[in-house]
Amino acid sequence: MGKLALLGGAPVRTRAFPSQNTIGAKEKAAVIEVLESGVLSKFLGEPDQDFYGGPQVQRTEQAYAEYFGAKFAVTTNSATTALHAAVAACGLGPGDEVIVSPFTMTASATAILMQNVVPVFADIHPQTFCLDPEAVRRAITSRTRAIMMVDLFGQPAHWDEIRALAKSHNLKIIEDAAQAANARYYGRLAGTLGDIGVISLNYHKIIHCGEGGVILTSNPELAERAQLVRNHGEAVVEGLGLSDITNTFGSNYRMTEIDAAIARCQLDRLPGLFEHRERLAAYLSQRLRGLAYITVPHVESNVTSTYYLYAVKLCPELGVSRRTFVRALNAEGIPFGEGYVRPLYLQPMYQQRAAYNRGCPWTCGHYQGSVSYAPGICPVAERMYDCDLIVGMVCHPPQTEADMDDIVRAFDKILSHLQALRSGEAEGAHEAADPDYRSRSWRR
Ligand SMILES: *Cc1c(COP(=O)(O)O)cnc(C)c1O
């Protein structure tokens, strides 16, 4: 094994890793069919049949509901808007708190804030990176109304414990399964594990239609309220004869007919795409597992993951900084980045409590709590962000076992040359070797 690429040796690989492209002839034909129909969206914010969207939207919702085993699917133009509609549909508002992970894409918590509800961050489990049931239990107050469960990196974890907590405290569970399409928890598909769930159809996720989201629920009232928030509810509630109209005023979160047609083609591809990811991740983990100083992704028994990102933990005994380790990987041609996201409460918005004017929702007269966003409140999430975790955009099609072999070769090479990396680090040599290095951003 030659010299490390970071120290001037030949890299393990120079070819870029193939990025995911799930779009093919079926999507193209479906889009052309919609274009030829001339109907690119049929939604109207009025209490008639067009309130539910055009033929593509309705067929797609039917297909998703059937596939996922939910009574209702409500499409939207993103998972971000879908999450907001879900929070609103649950009847949450000023004075309420929702418990959420800080180690997630920013929209999980913003969806809560958008409804003037206070996000309360509980720490994650160090093996699954999902909410730790014990931390959630400690975060429950008399104001807690719901738990937002994020199936991070595509793994639904600790659901039995969380469901038990929710039941005993009478809380709703909103599932952010944006990264987890087709993952299962004891046979049930992610997105259907709580009272209401959301998957994302954005370009970076398991399947996509450009931008899009799907709300899944088997509760007819939640489905109807989400539909109202999606489509100008305030103009529709009278015509529909609704009595409880709070939280039903809406926006335009509607999916287009083109996106709906693509989303239905993508659903057909979902099992195959998922199987590909699972197979490559199992192969990669099996080969990396024997190496010192690293821990491969842990997936609980009776659970499957999409491996939206492939997350590896570095041991403190490694003796080189995470930054140097990732630079060394990148120099070998392997696309890994550091840390996933900064715990959300460390964002300026939470630190300054600057969401709405006058400090709302935290200073709202209805809010009697005193949530903390102080650094240190979720030590596990902070440790993952600061030093333990590296994440790779790998395992997705069209990558192959040969690509995984290169990843293994690079890890193996670096781990066999730790002494050289350690002395280089002491001399500051790596900074000079790679002046263009910047930490990759994994916020998608
Ligand atoms: C991507 C993502 C979202 C937002 O999805 P969009 O469709 O881009 O709005 C929300 N939550 C998580 C965990 C995500 O990864």
Side-chain angles (χ1 to χ4, degrees):
M1 226 178 298
K3 200 170 171 185
L4 291 178
L6 188 62
L7 302 175
V12 164
R13 111 182 230 154
T14 49
R15 256 176 328 117
F17 271 69
S19 48
Q20 173 163 256
N21 181 355
T22 64
I23 302 296
K26 275 176 78 175
E27 284 80 0
K28 187 174 169 186
V31 168
I32 288 175
E33 196 186 313
V34 175
L35 285 175
E36 284 175 347
S37 79
V39 181
L40 305 193
S41 176
K42 206 159 178 289
F43 271 110
L44 273 180
E46 297 194 7
D48 64 18
Q49 199 40 44
D50 290 344
F51 172 68
Y52 302 98
Q56 297 295 336
V57 162
Q58 293 196 30
R59 279 172 65 193
T60 296
E61 291 182 346
Q62 179 123 34
Y64 274 73
E66 260 166 40
Y67 183 85
F68 281 88
K71 289 214 177 85
F72 306 94
V74 180
T75 55
T76 57
N77 51 16
S78 74
T80 300
T81 53
L83 284 168
H84 172 240
V87 172
C90 286
L92 310 182
D96 296 338
E97 292 177 345
V98 172
I99 297 170
V100 62
S101 167
F103 204 54
T104 175
M105 195 260 180
T106 187
S108 312
T110 314
I112 297 165
L113 267 181
M114 281 182 71
Q115 202 55 31
N116 244 304
V117 173
V118 170
V120 172
F121 295 102
D123 210 353
I124 56 171
H125 189 282
Q127 281 185 308
T128 62
F129 316 121
C130 297
L131 274 177
D132 182 338
E134 193 43 41
V136 171
R137 196 185 54 73
R138 284 196 301 267
I140 294 174
T141 71
S142 58
R143 294 162 296 279
T144 311
R145 299 282 308 281
I147 302 167
M148 183 176 300
M149 283 288 278
V150 183
D151 303 323
L152 202 76
F153 304 146
Q155 174 178 202
H158 316 296
W159 274 87
D160 283 348
E161 296 93 318
I162 295 289
R163 283 207 199 100
L165 276 175
K167 195 165 179 214
S168 62
H169 292 84
N170 195 24
L171 310 175
K172 285 243 168 3
I173 308 183
I174 301 163
E175 181 179 12
D176 180 349
Q179 306 179 350
N182 214 62
R184 284 175 195 269
Y185 183 88
Y186 289 82
R188 257 174 80 184
L189 281 163
T192 67
L193 300 172
D195 294 282
I196 186 165
V198 165
I199 63 169
S200 170
L201 297 175
N202 102 10
Y203 172 66
H204 303 284
K205 300 295 159 66
I206 315 307
I207 51 173
H208 78 103
C209 61
E211 302 282 0
V214 184
I215 300 168
L216 299 161
T217 183
S218 288
N219 178 326
E221 198 187 321
L222 291 181
E224 182 174 52
R225 295 172 82 81
Q227 285 166 337
L228 289 162
V229 176
R230 165 177 72 175
N231 188 12
H232 309 292
E234 68 281 7
V236 184
V237 284
E238 234 172 344
L240 293 183
L242 251 75
S243 47
D244 177 10
I245 64 167
T246 52
N247 279 16
T248 59
F249 69 96
S251 183
N252 176 348
Y253 293 170
R254 307 178 310 207
M255 182 179 267
T256 71
E257 289 286 282
I258 293 178
D259 288 334
I262 299 172
R264 210 164 58 251
C265 300
Q266 290 277 291
L267 186 60
D268 293 338
R269 296 186 193 272
L270 181 56
L273 292 168
F274 177 84
E275 189 274 332
H276 188 111
R277 286 171 171 270
E278 209 185 18
R279 180 169 48 79
L280 285 195
Y283 178 81
L284 182 58
S285 290
Q286 183 228 324
R287 297 209 51 204
L288 287 178
R289 193 168 278 125
L291 300 181
Y293 301 119
I294 63 168
T295 309
V296 300
H298 165 84
V299 177
E300 303 269 280
S301 52
N302 298 312
V303 172
T304 56
S305 172
T306 64
Y307 298 91
Y308 166 67
L309 293 175
Y310 186 88
V312 172
K313 274 198 291 187
L314 303 180
C315 299
E317 294 75 27
L318 185 66
V320 300
S321 72
R322 182 179 68 181
R323 186 159 189 203
T324 295
F325 192 86
V326 168
R327 280 169 177 242
L329 271 176
N330 294 163
E332 299 297 342
I334 307 302
F336 269 72
E338 294 182 73
Y340 191 52
V341 293
R342 184 170 58 161
L344 296 181
Y345 54 84
L346 297 176
Q347 289 178 351
M349 178 175 64
Y350 295 102
Q351 289 300 306
Q352 298 170 30
R353 302 194 182 217
Y356 294 101
N357 280 348
R358 302 185 187 87
C360 283
W362 299 282
T363 55
C364 164
H366 297 284
Y367 184 59
Q368 301 296 313
S370 57
V371 65
S372 170
Y373 298 135
I377 56 168
C378 298
V380 178
E382 291 189 22
R383 196 171 80 232
M384 292 307 139
Y385 171 68
D386 287 336
C387 40
D388 284 12
L389 208 66
I390 63 175
V391 290
M393 212 52 182
V394 296
C395 298
H396 54 71
Q399 294 177 4
T400 64
E401 268 94 355
D403 294 315
M404 302 303 107
D405 290 339
D406 284 342
I407 298 172
V408 176
R409 236 173 259 133
F411 269 94
D412 199 15
K413 184 178 174 189
I414 293 166
L415 291 169
S416 329
H417 286 79
L418 279 178
Q419 204 45 53
L421 270 187
R422 286 177 192 139
S423 21
E425 198 165 58
E427 292 155 17
H430 308 321
E431 308 282 324
D434 183 14
D436 292 335
Y437 176 89
R438 60 187 165 78
S439 174
R440 297 282 308 266
S441 168
W442 302 98
R443 287 172 206 120
R444 290 162 197 278

